[in-house]
Amino acid sequence: MRKSLFVILCMLSSAAFAQEGSRRGLFLRPDTTFAVRHPYRFTIRPHVGSTFGMFTSQWTTEEGAHDYSLMSSPVIKAGCSVSYLGLTAGIHRDVRELFGGTEEMEFNISGYCSVVGGEVSYSSSYTHTMSSHAEGKTLWQLPLSGCHTRRFLANAYGVLNPRRFSLPAAFTQRYKQLRSAGSALIGASLTGFRMDVDVAQLPPQLTDANAPYDYAHHIIYVTANVGAGYAYNWVLHDNWMLHASYLHCLSLYHYGEIAFTEGTVPLGHRVNHGGIVRLGSVWDNHRYFGGFTGTMQLQWMSHTPLSIFDFYVSTQLFFGFRF
């Protein structure tokens, strides 16, 4: 995992240099009737947004299947991103911290040039709600304390039509899309999830003899995936653009385990796949810009004895300027 993370971080760092190389003709130049590069080097982008995560599992025993959902409370976040050429770094904090509330946190770094791009993000949450389901009905739902979830997401994209379709126009606003265009995508992703549980703080509903999480201390999974998809930038007006993209991924590598008091149980692998959905709108008036973006990260993991569906949504409303 460390080696994969190092490779992705190197790719993101090289995106800024790729931007400069593209300007000097070292890479395939965009068709300037479809997309143009802004002449500014620096961008500052304050933003507000929200994140929401849901981790659902199906625990299969001799007595049948038990369905559970763990939902992190929606986090309202505020932060700022700073860009130099194609490399962007930003940090977001839960606004409830202003009132001495929580320890929720999210960090991300991204880089995009005409041909490749990607982002790395990390989030941490302590506020959750857990529910149990059977035959499509909710048996119980309650706040859960003593649970800490962490997510690591790293995504990389390659564009097959870089002359007409611009990734930076959608994600970092380094370019401006002048005419509508789309492109097939290839990509890779690395996903990690860890849930640590303080059993002493669990409510009685989870510590009775029938609950499969009686003595679970943590659940871990890591997957490395490759995929393909399609993206489209739709120019509505001189200053307005909509973006939509989807990348479907299949796993090449996985690791998973669930730890109990008596020992650790590996999660046997059958098939893993997932998807990345991105939607956005951008207003770009040369020096100033603003817009909205939304990202949905989906992961289906069919294991034995625990099958997992992980769903994570991040939205952002931003306004920025260049210099």
Side-chain angles (χ1 to χ4, degrees):
M1 178 177 175
R2 291 180 179 178
K3 184 180 293 186
S4 300
L5 175 58
F6 176 76
V7 171
I8 292 175
L9 287 175
C10 289
M11 184 207 69
L12 295 178
S13 300
S14 67
F17 298 99
Q19 284 279 14
E20 191 68 14
S22 178
R23 183 180 68 84
R24 298 180 180 182
L26 301 180
F27 298 91
L28 186 63
R29 290 183 176 179
D31 184 340
T32 55
T33 63
F34 279 83
V36 293
R37 185 178 64 87
H38 287 291
Y40 307 102
R41 289 178 176 267
F42 292 94
T43 300
I44 296 178
R45 185 171 71 168
H47 49 259
V48 295
S50 64
T51 57
F52 168 79
M54 182 174 67
F55 177 87
T56 65
S57 61
Q58 184 177 80
W59 182 272
T60 304
T61 66
E62 295 179 355
E63 300 176 355
H66 306 266
D67 296 318
Y68 295 87
S69 296
L70 181 70
M71 295 171 285
S72 61
S73 298
V75 175
I76 306 300
K77 60 186 183 181
C80 185
S81 299
V82 179
S83 301
Y84 174 73
L85 297 178
L87 185 64
T88 302
I91 189 167
H92 326 279
R93 302 294 296 191
D94 188 346
V95 296
R96 290 174 294 180
E97 285 187 299
L98 299 175
F99 307 97
T102 71
E103 299 180 61
E104 317 292 322
M105 189 271 288
E106 181 179 342
F107 171 81
N108 73 279
I109 183 171
S110 62
Y112 290 90
C113 70
S114 299
V115 182
V116 297
E119 66 274 338
V120 175
S121 67
Y122 170 83
S123 62
S124 172
S125 180
Y126 290 86
T127 309
H128 303 84
T129 300
M130 193 167 191
S131 57
S132 176
H133 312 276
E135 299 179 353
K137 298 180 179 180
T138 300
L139 302 180
W140 50 261
Q141 181 173 316
L142 68 158
L144 185 65
S145 59
C147 183
H148 181 200
T149 58
R150 285 164 284 184
R151 281 184 174 84
F152 172 83
L153 304 172
N155 304 317
Y157 311 91
V159 177
L160 301 186
N161 182 23
R163 281 184 54 79
R164 294 188 173 184
F165 173 81
S166 175
L167 270 179
F171 298 135
T172 62
Q173 292 73 55
R174 174 64 174 160
Y175 278 71
K176 181 176 182 179
Q177 191 84 39
L178 301 179
R179 298 169 61 185
S180 300
S183 175
L185 299 176
I186 56 175
S189 68
L190 181 66
T191 302
F193 176 88
R194 177 173 180 132
M195 179 176 70
D196 292 298
V197 179
D198 184 349
V199 179
Q201 297 188 45
L202 293 179
Q205 289 91 332
L206 298 181
T207 55
D208 59 34
N210 297 320
Y213 288 94
D214 280 350
Y215 306 102
H217 293 288
H218 69 247
I219 297 176
I220 299 174
Y221 75 77
V222 177
T223 63
N225 316 283
V226 295
Y230 192 80
Y232 194 81
N233 287 342
W234 183 20
V235 178
L236 301 176
H237 187 266
D238 290 343
N239 297 330
W240 285 95
M241 184 194 79
L242 299 179
H243 169 83
S245 62
Y246 177 71
L247 185 74
H248 192 82
C249 299
L250 298 176
S251 63
L252 294 180
Y253 166 82
H254 91 283
Y255 170 79
E257 68 176 34
I258 178 170
F260 295 90
T261 302
E262 295 81 3
T264 299
V265 178
L267 299 178
H269 172 258
R270 290 200 295 269
V271 60
N272 293 339
H273 62 106
I276 304 168
V277 181
R278 303 194 70 167
L279 302 171
S281 62
V282 177
W283 170 80
D284 191 333
N285 191 25
H286 196 57
R287 183 180 290 272
Y288 301 98
F289 63 93
F292 171 84
T293 60
T295 302
M296 292 181 288
Q297 188 105 11
L298 313 171
Q299 192 79 33
W300 293 272
M301 287 156 285
S302 181
H303 295 289
T304 303
L306 187 69
S307 294
I308 296 170
F309 171 67
D310 193 14
F311 176 80
Y312 187 73
V313 177
S314 177
T315 63
Q316 189 176 109
L317 182 67
F318 61 88
F319 178 82
F321 60 93
R322 309 177 178 96
F323 61 96

